[in-house]
Amino acid sequence: MRYRTLTQFLIERERAGRISPDLRLLIETIARACKAISTRVNKGPFGGGYGLAGSENVQGEIQKKLDVLSNEILLEANEWGGNLAALVSEEMEDPRPIPTHYPRGQYLLLFDPLDGSSNIDVNISVGTIFSVLRCPTAPDGTPHEPDEKAFLQPGRNQVAAGFAVYGPTTVLVVTVGDGAWGFTLDRETYTFALTHPDIRIPADTAEFAINASNMRRWEPPVKRYIDECLAGKDGPRGKDFNMRWVASMVADVYRVLSRGGIFMYPRDAKNREGRLRLMYEANPMAFIVEQAGGMATDGSRRILDIQPTSLHQRVGVVLGSKNEVERVAAYHAA
Ligand code: F6P
């Protein structure tokens, strides 16, 4: 079978007037960087990428060497292309405007270079998440200074988002606002091939994903929802549920996209704002999940409507199969 490549897919979108040439090139560049990260991740202990970097990121988390390396790969790949005004990542304190010796473009790029990196040493899937916004302009059309304020836009303003999973195969899921599309890296031709066109998440599911070690800290609506799933056939839901938790959001969300499910990292008594980052994790995943017919909330509010107040803010996340996410929202409302 001959698959369409990511390049063909993007050129078709450009010809249809859905995306600008600059956005096409930007997504191609990110995909190229993901291939490079995939190669580094695959090297395992060879090539000096394993272990701790001996530093902490802006959130006070210990950085792995591969976190730092992946961040550098994405920065270097994207800095000079002329499509961006600035970029920022989970690993950086402040946005980095494109250096003045390169042309400046109209887009802002946000990324989590290596999501789930605590899983690297145990050989479990990790990945890269990205989100693209337009740099705001003044009424006269002059571009806004690409500072932190320029980035603080609700997720519904995203013009593209995606994520890569470096697992048994490397897959890249992309949305430009007309569905969610999955590409698998063909290691013989080194191209991303469209293997999962127009992904749809089933509205119903019997599979949930949550870190159950936080149970004692959950809010009552979350506890109620999970208790009912656990009660299975004998409880109010009248059916048995299965549970999965990879602890790499990319892998958990990819499973939800593949066969349905609900993924939850809710706020709790310890993580009062939630644990996952709004701008680098929740927004891009929410965009993709909605494009695949699913739903994404912080328990009750639509993630994409949340007005960010800071770049690194955290948020509760409940996403996946529509009917289940709605049920959790209904429990919150009650
Ligand atoms: O935010 C990073 C992350 O690794 C996510 O990819 C994942 O869903 C979550 O943290 C795992 O958290 P925990 O270690 O609490 O299971």
Side-chain angles (χ1 to χ4, degrees), residues 115-116 211 245 247-249 263 265 275-277 281:
D115 180 65
N211 182 344
W245 184 251
S248 274
M249 189 189 196
F263 167 91
Y265 213 126
R275 157 99 157 74
L276 302 176
R277 284 71 173 186
E281 295 171 311

Side-chain angles (χ1 to χ4, degrees), residues 25-99:
L25 287 170
L26 176 57
I27 297 171
E28 293 252 34
T29 308
I30 297 165
R32 214 162 38 241
C34 289
K35 287 184 204 171
I37 298 171
S38 165
T39 303
R40 288 308 306 233
V41 168
N42 264 269
K43 279 183 197 271
F46 310 112
Y50 255 26
L52 302 179
S55 51
E56 285 184 357
N57 68 10
V58 54
Q59 350 253 343
E61 295 162 337
I62 293 167
Q63 288 179 307
K64 298 271 169 79
K65 282 186 191 159
L66 273 174
D67 284 319
V68 177
L69 208 72
S70 306
N71 197 51
E72 277 164 12
I73 289 174
L74 277 153
L75 286 179
E76 276 166 24
N78 281 292
E79 232 171 29
W80 54 272
N83 317 306
L84 290 176
L87 23 65
V88 70
S89 89
E90 195 184 288
E91 304 298 329
M92 296 155 61
E93 191 151 359
D94 299 308
R96 180 188 292 199
I98 295 303

Side-chain angles (χ1 to χ4, degrees), residues 61 90 112 114-119 125-127 129 210-214 245-253 263-265 270-271 275-277 281 285 314:
E61 295 162 337
E90 195 184 288
D112 177 356
L114 204 61
D115 180 65
S117 59
S118 66
N119 277 329
S125 303
V126 290
I129 312 175
I210 194 163
N211 182 344
S213 70
N214 295 321
W245 184 251
V246 184
S248 274
M249 189 189 196
V250 285
D252 279 314
V253 172
F263 167 91
M264 307 172 78
Y265 213 126
K270 184 175 165 206
N271 301 297
R275 157 99 157 74
L276 302 176
R277 284 71 173 186
E281 295 171 311
M285 292 309 203
R314 295 173 192 255

Side-chain angles (χ1 to χ4, degrees), residues 14 20 24 29 40 50 73 110 116 196 198 207 212 214-215 227 230 232 268-269 283 290 300 306-307 309 315 321:
E14 186 190 324
S20 66
R24 171 171 71 79
T29 308
R40 288 308 306 233
Y50 255 26
I73 289 174
L110 304 96
H196 297 73
D198 202 9
E207 195 163 70
N214 295 321
M215 190 179 291
D227 280 348
L230 294 175
D268 60 32
N283 271 343
E290 284 199 5
S300 36
I306 296 173
Q307 173 61 49
T309 50
V315 69
S321 291

Side-chain angles (χ1 to χ4, degrees), residues 19 103 177 187 189 203 206 219 224 307 333-334:
I19 59 172
R187 292 205 181 263
T189 57
E219 293 176 346
R224 173 180 170 194
Q307 173 61 49

